[in-house]
Amino acid sequence: MPWRCALIPLYVRLVRYGFRKHATYVWAALAGAFTNSVFGILRAYILIALWQARPGLAGYDVTDAVTFCFLTQAFIGPMQLFGGGLTLPERIRSGDIALDLVRPASLQLWSLAEDLGRAGYLFLVRGIPPTLLGAVVFGITLPREPVAFLAGFTLGVLVSFGWRYLVALSVCWLVDDRAVSTLSLVLTTFMSGMMIPLAIFPGWVGETARALPWAAMVQAPSDLYLGKAPAGQTLAFQLFWAVALLALGALGTRAIRHKVVIQGG
C-alpha cells in the first residue's frame, strides 16, 4: 500500500535515531567495551587451558577457541545478550504504550528500527575493541566467509530482537517482568553458546540446544566466522527463527491492543 511505502523513510530515520541516541552515552559504551575486553582475556586463558588439556575439543583448535571467546564478547552489546535494550516494559507500566498503539506506524517495526540503530552503534564501540584486543594479545583467525558471517550476524541481531520483544510484551500479562527477564538471561547465557561452544554439550542436550533460537544469536554466527558450519544451512536456520519470533511478536502486538494493563492508575 502507498501509505506503508511512505513509512519506509520513517523507519530509516528511526534507525538513525537509535544510533544517535546511544551515541550520547559514549563513555558508558566504552566502559562496556573495557569490561568485555577484560572478561574476554580471563575467558581466553581458561579456554586455552581447557583446549591444551583436550586438543580438538568440539572440533576447535586453540586459536579457534580463543577466536570464539572474543567473538562472543563482541556480540554481547549489539545483540543485548544480557536482555533489555527496549523501552516497552517501562512504557507498558506507565500507560504510554496506549499512545504507541495508536500511531499509524507498527509498534514492532518502530521498536525494531530503533534497536537496529542501537545494535549498529554498539557493534562499532563495544564489538570491535574486544575483537581487536584479542587479535593483538592472542592472535585470532580472520573470518573464513566474511559475507556469510555479516549476514549471520545481522540475522542474529534480528533473532535477539524478536526474543527480547516477546519478553517485553509479557509485561502486559504478567505485570512484573523480572522473573521472565531472569529466565531469559539464564537461557540466553547458557543456550546461545555465549559461555562455551554448544558442540561441547553431550548427546541430546547439545542437539536440542543447537536447534533452539538462542543458538541462532551466538553459536550460528560464530560458526560462520570460523567456517565450522555450512553457510546456506546455518543462514536458513537463523532466518527460520528470525521469521518465527517476529511473527509471534506481531501476534503479540495485535493481542495487546485488546489487553493493555496500566499499572498504578
Side-chain angles (χ1 to χ4, degrees), residues 43-177:
R43 287 183 59 208
Y45 279 118
I46 294 172
L47 293 180
I48 289 171
L50 175 60
W51 257 263
Q52 286 177 343
R54 296 283 303 276
L57 181 64
Y60 290 32
D61 58 25
V62 173
T63 303
D64 290 337
V66 172
T67 302
F68 179 89
C69 167
F70 283 97
L71 278 178
T72 55
Q73 291 298 119
F75 290 165
I76 290 174
M79 297 190 189
Q80 205 72 33
L81 295 178
F82 294 148
L86 301 176
T87 60
L88 282 178
E90 292 77 12
R91 296 186 68 79
I92 292 172
R93 294 189 189 97
S94 67
D96 291 337
I97 190 67
L99 300 176
D100 298 332
L101 291 172
V102 297
R103 289 174 179 154
S106 163
L107 172 64
Q108 185 182 32
L109 292 179
W110 185 293
S111 302
L112 174 59
E114 285 192 21
D115 197 62
L116 289 176
R118 175 205 59 78
Y121 175 74
L122 292 182
F123 172 75
L124 295 175
V125 181
R126 286 190 61 175
I128 293 179
T131 308
L132 293 178
L133 179 66
V136 171
V137 176
F138 297 96
I140 63 176
T141 63
L142 295 174
R144 306 291 170 82
E145 299 182 67
V147 175
F149 165 66
L150 290 176
F153 175 81
T154 302
L155 287 171
V157 171
L158 290 178
V159 173
S160 170
F161 168 80
W163 172 252
R164 288 180 291 114
Y165 186 80
L166 290 173
V167 172
L169 287 185
S170 71
V171 178
C172 280
W173 290 272
L174 301 178
V175 182
D176 190 341
D177 66 330

Side-chain angles (χ1 to χ4, degrees), residues 172-195:
C172 280
W173 290 272
L174 301 178
V175 182
D176 190 341
D177 66 330
R178 285 177 294 183
V180 176
S181 297
T182 300
L183 177 61
S184 173
L185 173 61
V186 172
L187 289 172
T188 304
T189 300
F190 293 100
M191 303 297 282
S192 68
M194 190 178 77
M195 299 300 294

